[in-house]
Amino acid sequence: MTTAQTPQTPGTQAPGTPAARPHSGRFVLLLALGAFALGLDAYVMAGLLPDVAGDLHVTESSAGQMVTVFTLCYALAAPFFATALAGRPARVVLGVALAVFTLGNALTAVAPALPVLLISRALAGIGAGVYSPMAAATAAGLAGPERRGRSLALVMGGMSIGTVVGVPIGVLLAEQVGWRGTLWLITGLGALALVGIAVLLPRNEAAPPPPLRERVRILAEGRVAGIACVSLLGGIASLGLYTYLAPVLADAAHLHQNVWALWAWGAGGVLGSLLVGRLVDRTGKPFAVVGSVLLLLTLAHLALPAAAHASWALVVPLVVWGAAGWALQVPQQHQLIAAQPRHSAVAVSLNSSAVYLGSAIGSALGGMVLAAGLRPAFLPYCTAALAALGLLLHLTVVRRFSRRGAPDADETGVTSAVPEPCASKARG
C-alpha cells in the first residue's frame, strides 16, 4: 500500500522529486496534439469501414476486425510496455510510441490487402496504448499537484476533440480523396507531435525501474485494481452504448437522422473532459468527483429512452452522457497518480487498458443482448445498471482501500496532500 506522504510546505517538494516546470503549458499542449491524433485514429476507422471494405474487396465484417485489433492491442500494450519501458525517460518512451503509431498509420494508408491492414492497425494500437497513459502521467508530473487536474484534462480534451471534431473532418476528407487520404492526415499529425516532443520536451534522468515483483504489486494493489474496475464498468456502459446509439434512437423514437445526436454527445464530451480538470483542482476531491460523474452517467442513460421522443429533450441526456463519459478518466487518473506517485505511468496504463477493454466488452455484450431479442430501446437501462454498479464499487471497495492506504485521508478517502510523482518517467 502507498502510505500517506508528509505535506510539503509551499515552495518545497518531496526529496528526489524534480520541480514542476514553470512553463509546462506548452509541453502539455504538445502531449495533447498527440492525444488528438490518437482520438481521431481510434474512432474514424469505424466511419471509413464501407470504403475500406470496398477498396480491399472484403466484407464489412472482415474489415471491421481492424477496429477490434486496434482496440485489443491498445488495451494489452499499455500495461505490458509501461512495465517493459520503465526507467526510460518519458521523452524517449513517448517518442518511440509515436514513431510506432505513425508507422502503423502510414502502413495502413498503403495496405494492399486485409492481412497487411490488420498488422498495421495492431502497430498503431500498440503505439497508442503506450503513448496515452505515458502522456497523462507526464502531463501530471510537469504541471505539479496544484495544476494536475487541468493538465490531465488538456490531454484528455485533445483525445475527445480528436473524436468529436477530427472524425467528421476525417470522414469528409475521405469522401474527397479516399480513406487512405484520411490515414495520411493522421500519419502527418503523429509525425508532427513526434518532432515536437523529440525537440521541445525536456529530458530528465530516469529513476531506476521498479523490479518485476514491485510492478505486479502495483497492478494488484487494492486501490489501483478497484479504480481500474470502476473505469472498466464506465467504459462498458458509456462507450458500449455509444456503439449502438443509432439503433437505440431508431427503436425508441424512430429517429434515423442521428448525426446531430452524435454531435450533441461529442460536444458534451469536449466540455466534460476540459472542465473536469478545473473542478478536480479547485475541490481537491477527485474521489467525490468520480462519484458525481458516475451518478450523472447513470441518470443520463436512464433518461435517454423517454427523452428520445422529443428532440429538444433528447439533447440533455446526450450532452450529460457525453460529458460524464469523457470526464470520468481525469479524476480516475488523478487518484491513480496519488495512489502510486513513484510509479504513476504503470498505474495509469492499467486504467487506460481498462477503458479500452470496457469499450470492446461493451460492444460485444451489446451485440449479444440485442441478438438475444432485447429491443434496442431498452439497452440504456442495461448500461445504466452497469454504471450504477461502478458507482457502488467506487463508494465501497475503492473508498475502503483508499482509507486503508492513507491514514490521514479526508472524508473522500483521498489524501489531502499528494506529492508530485517522483519517477521522472512521468516527467520527461
Side-chain angles (χ1 to χ4, degrees), residues 20-271:
R21 300 274 174 173
H23 303 292
S24 61
R26 60 179 180 177
F27 302 134
V28 176
L29 288 176
L30 276 175
L31 299 172
L33 174 61
F36 177 88
L38 262 64
L40 172 57
D41 194 31
Y43 289 92
V44 77
M45 297 307 294
L48 303 179
L49 189 58
D51 296 333
V52 174
D55 187 31
L56 298 183
H57 306 291
V58 296
T59 64
E60 290 191 10
S61 60
S62 297
Q65 298 307 308
M66 65 181 178
V67 178
T68 303
V69 167
F70 179 94
T71 302
L72 289 177
C73 286
Y74 186 116
L76 298 176
F80 177 80
F81 285 101
T83 55
L85 297 174
R88 275 84 173 172
R91 189 173 72 175
V92 173
V93 177
L94 291 168
V96 171
L98 280 177
V100 173
F101 172 79
T102 302
L103 175 63
N105 280 290
L107 188 57
T108 301
V110 298
L114 183 61
V116 178
L117 178 70
L118 295 180
I119 292 173
S120 67
R121 298 316 296 157
L123 284 175
I126 291 172
V130 174
Y131 179 87
S132 181
M134 179 58 75
T138 303
L142 286 169
E146 69 283 351
R147 296 183 62 87
R148 180 178 293 153
R150 298 177 198 181
S151 295
L152 288 171
L154 273 176
V155 175
M156 186 61 64
M159 184 169 289
S160 65
I161 294 172
T163 302
V164 176
V165 178
V167 168
I169 293 175
V171 173
L172 290 175
L173 179 63
E175 293 177 355
Q176 302 300 318
V177 299
W179 68 272
R180 298 179 189 272
T182 299
L183 269 297
W184 284 121
L185 170 64
I186 299 171
T187 301
L189 289 172
L192 182 62
L194 171 59
V195 172
I197 286 174
V199 173
L200 299 177
L201 194 69
R203 178 188 176 102
N204 292 91
E205 290 302 317
L212 179 60
R213 180 180 299 179
E214 175 71 7
R215 299 175 205 172
V216 173
R217 188 197 65 80
I218 292 171
L219 300 181
E221 193 264 329
R223 184 178 175 189
V224 172
I227 292 171
C229 286
V230 171
S231 292
L232 176 70
L233 290 170
I236 294 174
S238 184
L239 298 176
L241 181 60
Y242 178 75
T243 304
Y244 299 98
L245 179 59
V248 167
L249 296 181
D251 184 44
H254 306 290
L255 291 175
H256 299 283
Q257 298 296 326
N258 52 39
V259 174
W260 63 271
L262 298 177
W263 277 99
W265 181 86
V270 173
L271 289 174

Side-chain angles (χ1 to χ4, degrees), residues 244 364-376 379:
Y244 299 98
L365 288 179
M368 292 171 60
V369 169
L370 295 180
L374 182 74
R375 283 182 53 192
L379 190 58

